[in-house]
Amino acid sequence: MVEEGSGLVSRTESLYRLQTLDLEIIEKTGRLQEVEASLGESEALREARRSLQAEEQRLAELQRRLRRQDLDLRSLTSKIATEEEKLYGGRIKNPKELAGIQEEVRYLKRNRSELEDAMLETMLEIEDVEAEVAARRERLQEIEAEWKQRQAGLREEEAALRARLARLEGERRALRASIDDQDLAIYKELRRKKGGRGVALLVGGLCQGCGVTLPTSKVQEVRRSQDLAFCSNCGRILHVGDAS
Ligand SMILES: [Zn+2]
């Protein structure tokens, strides 16, 4: 009697342990997928880098503009000197020609004055953009630091999950070998129908799968039965827990 009884206990015990392993394997696999999806560069990091690059590009364009303006200024200054040399050099005597040169000098000086204003504007703009580049660089460094820290944590978690899953799979294989094929088929079918939980503990007459208290006669039947017994309410395989 005792041996036969313990035979059933070990059948449902094995199925219950299998279910516990399966549930943890599902949970850990899900978490592993989340962790793997979070590894690698984050969108926030890419965005901060793009934003800095865009501003650095703007700064480079402004600096190129300033260099061009500076070259133009040198060229204008040199032209003005040449024209003034003609004007005051004394070699040109023709008043009409001198008036023409004077007009040209006025025109060149007006251009130079406008160019100097434009250069000042460029320099002010460069100052603003330099400040913005510095702010964006600082922001990127902050995000990078956070990201690196988080990545380290995720890599640790990934390694722990992989190790745990390997242990669980090993335990499951060993346990699977001790389970009857027919029992396993019933378990799998119920697991599919009952949201991953095809086996329920029966504790003090209460089915832990659905929360219904079974009649005493049913509880006694379950305890005595040599075959798998099922909850009359939810249909799960009943495993008599230690406390009952
Ligand atoms: Zn039930």
Side-chain angles (χ1 to χ4, degrees), residues 7-209:
L8 178 64
V9 166
S10 87
R11 266 171 83 190
T12 59
E13 172 82 42
S14 294
L15 289 176
Y16 186 70
R17 263 194 246 144
L18 185 70
Q19 171 168 285
T20 306
L21 288 173
D22 280 346
L23 288 172
E24 194 181 345
I25 287 170
I26 288 167
E27 185 226 315
K28 294 287 189 288
T29 303
R31 179 61 195 152
L32 183 61
Q33 282 166 353
E34 279 175 17
V35 166
E36 281 172 344
S38 307
L39 283 169
E41 296 214 326
S42 69
E43 187 46 44
L45 184 61
R46 279 194 291 265
E47 178 50 38
R49 193 176 289 137
R50 272 198 296 271
S51 153
L52 173 61
Q53 280 167 351
E55 204 61 10
E56 281 174 338
Q57 211 173 338
R58 232 183 111 199
L59 181 60
E61 276 163 24
L62 285 169
Q63 284 164 338
R64 276 196 296 275
R65 189 204 290 173
L66 187 63
R67 277 195 298 275
R68 274 196 309 272
Q69 287 171 329
D70 188 52
L71 285 175
D72 289 349
L73 184 70
R74 284 162 200 268
S75 153
L76 269 176
T77 302
S78 142
K79 267 187 207 162
I80 289 166
T82 308
E83 294 305 306
E84 282 185 332
E85 166 63 26
K86 285 184 202 163
L87 201 56
Y88 307 117
R91 272 180 285 126
I92 297 165
K93 308 268 194 268
N94 183 334
K96 205 178 170 189
E97 202 181 332
L98 284 171
I101 293 169
Q102 228 161 9
E103 183 53 39
E104 175 69 7
V105 167
R106 265 200 300 276
Y107 168 77
L108 290 172
K109 284 188 171 172
R110 202 164 52 238
N111 275 1
R112 186 173 64 180
S113 164
E114 279 170 11
L115 186 57
E116 280 166 346
D117 289 348
M119 282 177 81
L120 191 62
E121 260 178 57
T122 305
M123 285 188 270
L124 290 174
E125 222 179 312
I126 283 175
E127 267 179 37
D128 287 349
V129 174
E130 274 172 346
E132 186 59 30
V133 163
R136 291 187 188 188
R137 184 170 294 134
E138 200 178 323
R139 178 87 193 106
L140 174 63
Q141 281 163 352
E142 278 170 19
I143 290 175
E144 245 167 4
E146 270 169 38
W147 175 80
K148 273 183 191 157
Q149 203 172 8
R150 190 157 173 267
Q151 290 291 298
L154 286 170
R155 293 214 177 276
E156 262 175 45
E157 191 182 352
E158 185 195 25
L161 284 167
R162 286 191 185 286
R164 178 73 187 143
L165 275 168
R167 268 200 305 280
L168 289 168
E169 299 285 2
E171 278 176 44
R172 192 187 191 283
R173 267 193 305 277
L175 186 60
R176 164 67 189 88
S178 74
I179 295 172
D180 178 78
D181 283 348
Q182 217 176 338
D183 285 359
L184 188 74
I186 294 169
Y187 162 75
K188 281 186 174 172
E189 176 66 6
L190 280 170
R191 184 179 64 177
R192 191 178 61 76
K193 285 185 187 161
K194 303 287 175 187
R197 292 170 193 269
V199 187
L201 275 181
L202 183 64
V203 181
L206 189 79
C207 168
Q208 304 286 302

Side-chain angles (χ1 to χ4, degrees), residues 207 210 231 234:
C207 168
C210 63
C231 172
C234 69

